[in-house]
Amino acid sequence: MNFKLNDLPERSIKPRQKGLTMVMDKGLSLRQVEDFLDVAGVHTDIVKLGWSTSHVTPRLKEKLELYRSAGIPTYFGGTLFEAFTVRNQFEDYQRVLDEYGMEYAEVSDGSMDIEHDIKCDYIRKLSKQVTVISEVGSKDATKIFAPYKWIKLMQAEIEAGSWKVIAEAREGGNVGIYRGTGEVREGLVDEILTQIPSERIIWEAPQKEQQVWFIKLIGSNVNLGNIAPAEVIPLETIRLGLRGDTFDFFLGK
Amino acid sequence: MNFKLNDLPERSIKPRQKGLTMVMDKGLSLRQVEDFLDVAGVHTDIVKLGWSTSHVTPRLKEKLELYRSAGIPTYFGGTLFEAFTVRNQFEDYQRVLDEYGMEYAEVSDGSMDIEHDIKCDYIRKLSKQVTVISEVGSKDATKIFAPYKWIKLMQAEIEAGSWKVIAEAREGGNVGIYRGTGEVREGLVDEILTQIPSERIIWEAPQKEQQVWFIKLIGSNVNLGNIAPAEVIPLETIRLGLRGDTFDFFLGK
Amino acid sequence: MNFKLNDLPERSIKPRQKGLTMVMDKGLSLRQVEDFLDVAGVHTDIVKLGWSTSHVTPRLKEKLELYRSAGIPTYFGGTLFEAFTVRNQFEDYQRVLDEYGMEYAEVSDGSMDIEHDIKCDYIRKLSKQVTVISEVGSKDATKIFAPYKWIKLMQAEIEAGSWKVIAEAREGGNVGIYRGTGEVREGLVDEILTQIPSERIIWEAPQKEQQVWFIKLIGSNVNLGNIAPAEVIPLETIRLGLRGDTFDFFLGK
């Protein structure tokens, strides 16, 4: 923080359990990772290599090492887990995690259909190997769950060993907890929060209006995910009440 | 200019009073600033560090120095002025401007409510310290001024010492002089131009269609602002009638 | 490819006649070109310097040399050809192509009105000098051709010497083969494909939904163009059935 501004909302500090900013890297080059870390690393808690982009990214080990040396954990998007699992290659996936020195992994079922019990089994198995983040919600806009279902799924995944559960939105921010227009399904979020502690959830919120909405609901230290690298600095100002959208909101609090 | 193309519209040259391209940097790293300057510095007149992003940007002094050594002036977005002022820290803000060697400052009231007389007092005070750019229009989409009001505000701010007045649009281009859809409020712009010389106004125009509209109305050498770094080269082609949107428009003129 | 995933759809390999990814560079700096090549060069077949951006890009020869040394051909957008031609400077354009060592050129009439016979004459002339890519479709959203017209134009241009014909969409993906909303004019595409071999066509498809639509229609190895540099890695995953959008589609094929 460069200036002495009074009465800013308090921000948690790294390593954080709440107030996480999870960034989606969907194909940065090594030098672009360096650029990102240089300006936004201090505000970033964890980086996801979006869906299966890691499969087609050259010099992947060097890239992971760049994040590692900056102290920022990374994980492969859940679609990579699904691509292995749907092909009966789950053990191969476990070997990949070891080979690349991954400390986190995502378990999701956004693109494939599996029984929820089986998903929880994968969470249990992987949580012996790495820290598991699991994702609830389909990438298919036509599959809409009722709130009680979201809660049941999240609870079961936390019990199975997930460190955090992610509420699905995709890169676009137009499925899962959002309507096709990007608008938050507010009743759904409210109901989830009656049962699941907010620090256990990472809300995917790629659009600015979505970030603003969650910050107004839960506060500066809400966990937000799928943030584009170039939006980390802007997001930090929204968390601090230093952008028009939350300027009034935090004054006098 | 690399090629000899006949009959291109005439462009003003730097340092410009009209035909300005004002770029919004919302969180570039040092090397990203170098990249930007390398390809677009020659077409850029002034850079705004968007809203309060300067507060959370690491190595800010080095960043400002990069722009300075390229001969491109910078200023902090008006929201930073407002964040200090609303906290009764205006004198602190003046010290910040000195400490960082700023030669320009923005005075705005897009996020806070103040009497216009008081805003003009701030313009008067700051214009003794730096070159002042002031912004008219609220970031709140529900606050819509009538044209005569825009004119009155702009005139008063110019009299108070503003070098240029900015017509508000935000990063998104969907408030102030635009409707929520991004469409220009044409009658408003026409009426403003009957009273305020166009070279005194910087029109925030982040969207391509908005840039095209103003170039067709006012010409190649209209002052445009909130241009994203990657859009400076595209904008320059629009000003020169070398993109589809203005290709016909400038032919035979 | 980093991992051993079974049953992925087969991708053609460079140098390709089908499955091309044509990228639009609309003003990258030299170092940004290096970054792009580092991560996405292996997945890129050809780069267009969008419309006339080459005219206002500093250090153009160095930039072209960067692409050349990575083995990726480049060409100037068709609007540059039109800007010269409409000014009766076609011979100057031919000299520019030589001076910059270009091996490809685009012939288009998206912004100017010329007889189609004359357009084909230009294709014939230029195809003696370079490999010609020609573009069908207007940048003007109000000019809509019937399918038989598209076919007739494409056939004539291929006969005149075009290596590939491009189906126009602009950077935005909202004209030509698309409706203003970005939706594909499906009947048009189907009808074109009854007469023109798909490997002779490059479909401009800047939006993800457009890429997905063509990959589902024609397969992994469809030629797609106007891909933004940062979208090459994502596109490659869509071609391979490794993003949610095509995950199901390729399974079991």
Side-chain angles (χ1 to χ4, degrees):
Chain A
M1 304 307 155
N2 293 310
F3 315 128
K4 285 186 186 124
L5 274 162
N6 300 330
D7 303 319
L8 293 184
E10 204 172 332
R11 270 291 271 148
S12 55
I13 53 171
K14 288 170 71 168
R16 294 183 172 95
Q17 283 301 318
K18 58 180 198 169
L20 294 172
T21 293
M22 177 266 272
V23 170
M24 184 199 273
D25 169 345
K26 62 177 194 174
L28 297 180
S29 73
L30 297 185
R31 202 157 55 192
Q32 287 167 336
V33 171
E34 290 175 354
D35 291 347
F36 163 69
L37 291 170
D38 181 40
V39 73
V42 68
H43 303 300
T44 300
D45 297 280
I46 188 163
V47 169
K48 168 168 67 179
L49 303 192
W51 66 100
S52 307
T53 53
S54 52
H55 182 56
V56 300
T57 299
R59 301 164 76 189
L60 179 59
K61 285 188 179 168
E62 290 171 73
K63 182 169 176 169
L64 294 170
E65 185 52 35
L66 274 179
Y67 282 117
R68 198 171 286 130
S69 60
I72 294 179
T74 55
Y75 65 98
F76 300 141
T79 303
L80 187 67
F81 158 81
E82 296 182 53
F84 274 96
T85 303
V86 79
R87 287 171 171 80
N88 294 314
Q89 294 184 260
F90 175 70
E91 285 77 17
D92 291 341
Y93 188 57
Q94 291 190 290
R95 278 187 285 272
V96 162
L97 294 178
D98 278 345
E99 186 192 338
Y100 286 85
M102 307 308 287
E103 297 175 5
Y104 289 75
E106 182 179 330
V107 171
S108 61
D109 58 345
S111 297
M112 67 176 179
D113 287 317
I114 53 169
E115 296 293 316
H116 197 247
D117 284 354
I118 296 176
K119 185 181 179 190
C120 288
D121 283 343
Y122 286 120
I123 293 172
R124 265 184 289 270
K125 277 181 206 163
L126 278 174
S127 63
K128 288 172 192 154
Q129 185 181 359
V130 294
T131 300
V132 172
I133 298 169
S134 69
E135 188 177 66
V136 174
S138 175
K139 294 189 193 300
D140 181 342
T142 66
K143 291 187 187 161
I144 295 174
F145 305 153
Y148 84 91
K149 186 78 183 292
W150 280 83
I151 292 167
K152 209 177 127 188
L153 298 172
M154 285 180 163
Q155 282 174 331
E157 297 184 12
I158 289 170
E159 278 163 30
S162 291
W163 170 60
K164 306 276 184 196
V165 288
I166 298 179
E168 168 74 88
R170 302 201 68 180
E171 187 203 351
N174 56 0
V175 298
I177 49 171
Y178 304 102
R179 299 198 175 81
T181 58
E183 201 190 346
V184 186
R185 294 175 58 196
E186 305 194 5
L188 170 62
V189 172
D190 285 340
E191 204 160 331
I192 290 173
L193 286 170
T194 64
Q195 302 294 326
I196 312 283
S198 73
E199 58 266 35
R200 298 303 293 269
I201 308 173
I202 300 175
W203 307 95
E204 292 190 349
Q207 300 180 18
K208 187 186 75 167
E209 288 67 24
Q210 299 169 345
Q211 298 159 15
V212 169
W213 190 89
F214 277 106
I215 288 168
K216 286 186 175 174
L217 184 72
I218 297 175
S220 292
N221 294 306
V222 61
N223 299 326
L224 296 174
N226 282 17
I227 308 302
E231 296 300 327
V232 173
I233 291 282
L235 171 58
E236 199 60 27
T237 65
I238 298 171
R239 290 186 186 275
L240 292 173
L242 291 175
R243 192 172 188 176
D245 312 84
T246 54
F247 189 92
D248 273 353
F249 183 76
F250 284 113
L251 282 178
K253 287 216 168 182
Chain B
M1 305 307 153
N2 293 309
F3 314 127
K4 283 184 188 128
L5 274 162
N6 300 330
D7 303 319
L8 292 184
E10 204 172 333
R11 269 291 271 149
S12 55
I13 54 171
K14 287 171 67 169
R16 293 182 172 96
Q17 283 300 317
K18 59 180 197 170
L20 293 172
T21 293
M22 177 266 273
V23 171
M24 183 198 274
D25 169 345
K26 62 177 193 173
L28 298 180
S29 74
L30 297 184
R31 202 156 56 192
Q32 287 167 336
V33 171
E34 290 174 356
D35 290 346
F36 163 71
L37 291 169
D38 181 40
V39 72
V42 68
H43 303 301
T44 300
D45 297 280
I46 187 163
V47 170
K48 168 167 68 178
L49 303 193
W51 65 100
S52 308
T53 53
S54 52
H55 182 55
V56 299
T57 299
R59 301 165 75 190
L60 179 59
K61 284 187 180 169
E62 289 170 74
K63 182 169 177 170
L64 294 170
E65 185 52 34
L66 274 178
Y67 283 117
R68 199 172 286 130
S69 61
I72 295 180
T74 56
Y75 65 99
F76 299 141
T79 304
L80 187 67
F81 158 81
E82 296 183 54
F84 274 96
T85 303
V86 79
R87 288 171 171 79
N88 294 314
Q89 293 184 260
F90 175 69
E91 286 77 16
D92 290 341
Y93 188 57
Q94 290 190 292
R95 278 187 286 270
V96 163
L97 295 177
D98 278 345
E99 186 192 336
Y100 285 84
M102 306 308 289
E103 297 176 5
Y104 289 76
E106 182 179 330
V107 172
S108 61
D109 57 346
S111 296
M112 68 177 179
D113 287 318
I114 52 170
E115 296 293 316
H116 197 247
D117 284 355
I118 296 177
K119 185 181 179 189
C120 287
D121 282 343
Y122 286 119
I123 293 172
R124 265 183 290 271
K125 277 182 207 163
L126 278 174
S127 65
K128 288 171 192 154
Q129 186 182 356
V130 293
T131 300
V132 172
I133 298 169
S134 68
E135 189 177 65
V136 174
S138 176
K139 292 188 194 302
D140 181 343
T142 65
K143 291 187 187 162
I144 295 174
F145 305 154
Y148 84 92
K149 185 80 184 289
W150 280 82
I151 292 167
K152 209 178 128 189
L153 297 172
M154 285 179 162
Q155 283 174 331
E157 297 184 13
I158 288 170
E159 278 163 29
S162 292
W163 171 59
K164 305 277 185 198
V165 288
I166 297 179
E168 169 74 89
R170 303 203 66 182
E171 188 203 352
N174 55 1
V175 297
I177 49 173
Y178 303 103
R179 299 196 175 84
T181 58
E183 202 190 346
V184 186
R185 295 174 58 196
E186 305 194 5
L188 170 63
V189 170
D190 285 340
E191 203 160 330
I192 289 172
L193 285 170
T194 64
Q195 302 294 326
I196 313 283
S198 73
E199 58 265 35
R200 297 304 292 269
I201 307 175
I202 299 175
W203 307 95
E204 292 190 348
Q207 300 179 18
K208 187 186 76 167
E209 288 68 24
Q210 298 169 344
Q211 297 159 16
V212 169
W213 191 89
F214 276 107
I215 288 167
K216 286 186 174 173
L217 183 73
I218 297 174
S220 292
N221 294 306
V222 60
N223 298 326
L224 296 174
N226 283 16
I227 308 302
E231 296 300 327
V232 172
I233 291 282
L235 171 58
E236 199 62 26
T237 64
I238 299 171
R239 290 184 185 276
L240 292 173
L242 291 175
R243 192 171 188 177
D245 313 84
T246 55
F247 189 93
D248 272 354
F249 183 77
F250 285 112
L251 283 177
K253 289 219 166 178
Chain C
M1 305 307 155
N2 293 309
F3 315 127
K4 283 184 188 125
L5 275 162
N6 300 328
D7 304 318
L8 293 184
E10 204 172 331
R11 270 290 272 148
S12 55
I13 53 171
K14 289 169 69 167
R16 295 182 172 93
Q17 283 300 316
K18 59 179 195 169
L20 293 173
T21 293
M22 176 266 272
V23 171
M24 183 198 274
D25 169 346
K26 62 178 194 173
L28 297 181
S29 73
L30 297 184
R31 203 157 54 192
Q32 287 167 336
V33 171
E34 289 174 354
D35 291 346
F36 163 71
L37 291 170
D38 181 41
V39 73
V42 68
H43 303 299
T44 300
D45 297 281
I46 187 163
V47 170
K48 167 168 69 177
L49 303 192
W51 64 101
S52 307
T53 53
S54 53
H55 181 56
V56 299
T57 298
R59 301 164 75 190
L60 179 60
K61 285 187 180 170
E62 289 171 74
K63 182 169 177 169
L64 295 170
E65 185 52 34
L66 274 179
Y67 283 117
R68 198 171 286 129
S69 60
I72 295 179
T74 55
Y75 65 99
F76 300 141
T79 303
L80 187 68
F81 158 81
E82 296 182 53
F84 274 96
T85 304
V86 79
R87 287 170 172 81
N88 294 315
Q89 294 184 260
F90 175 70
E91 286 77 16
D92 291 340
Y93 188 57
Q94 291 190 292
R95 277 187 286 270
V96 162
L97 294 177
D98 278 344
E99 186 193 337
Y100 285 85
M102 306 308 287
E103 297 175 6
Y104 289 76
E106 183 180 330
V107 171
S108 61
D109 58 346
S111 296
M112 68 177 181
D113 288 317
I114 53 170
E115 296 294 315
H116 197 246
D117 284 354
I118 296 176
K119 185 181 178 190
C120 288
D121 282 344
Y122 285 120
I123 293 171
R124 264 183 290 272
K125 277 181 205 163
L126 278 174
S127 64
K128 289 171 190 153
Q129 184 181 357
V130 293
T131 300
V132 172
I133 298 168
S134 68
E135 188 178 65
V136 174
S138 175
K139 293 188 193 301
D140 182 341
T142 66
K143 290 186 186 161
I144 294 173
F145 305 153
Y148 83 92
K149 187 79 183 292
W150 279 84
I151 292 167
K152 209 177 128 189
L153 298 172
M154 286 180 163
Q155 282 175 332
E157 297 184 14
I158 288 169
E159 278 163 29
S162 291
W163 170 59
K164 306 277 184 197
V165 288
I166 298 180
E168 168 75 88
R170 303 202 66 179
E171 187 203 353
N174 55 0
V175 298
I177 49 172
Y178 304 103
R179 300 197 174 83
T181 57
E183 202 190 347
V184 185
R185 294 175 59 195
E186 304 194 5
L188 170 62
V189 171
D190 285 340
E191 204 160 331
I192 289 173
L193 285 170
T194 64
Q195 302 294 326
I196 313 283
S198 72
E199 58 266 36
R200 298 304 292 269
I201 308 174
I202 299 175
W203 307 95
E204 292 190 348
Q207 300 179 19
K208 186 187 75 166
E209 288 67 25
Q210 299 169 344
Q211 298 159 16
V212 169
W213 190 89
F214 276 106
I215 288 168
K216 286 186 174 174
L217 183 73
I218 297 175
S220 292
N221 294 306
V222 60
N223 299 325
L224 296 174
N226 283 16
I227 308 301
E231 297 299 327
V232 172
I233 291 281
L235 171 58
E236 198 62 25
T237 65
I238 298 170
R239 291 185 185 275
L240 292 173
L242 292 175
R243 192 172 189 177
D245 313 84
T246 55
F247 189 94
D248 273 352
F249 183 77
F250 285 113
L251 283 177
K253 289 218 166 180

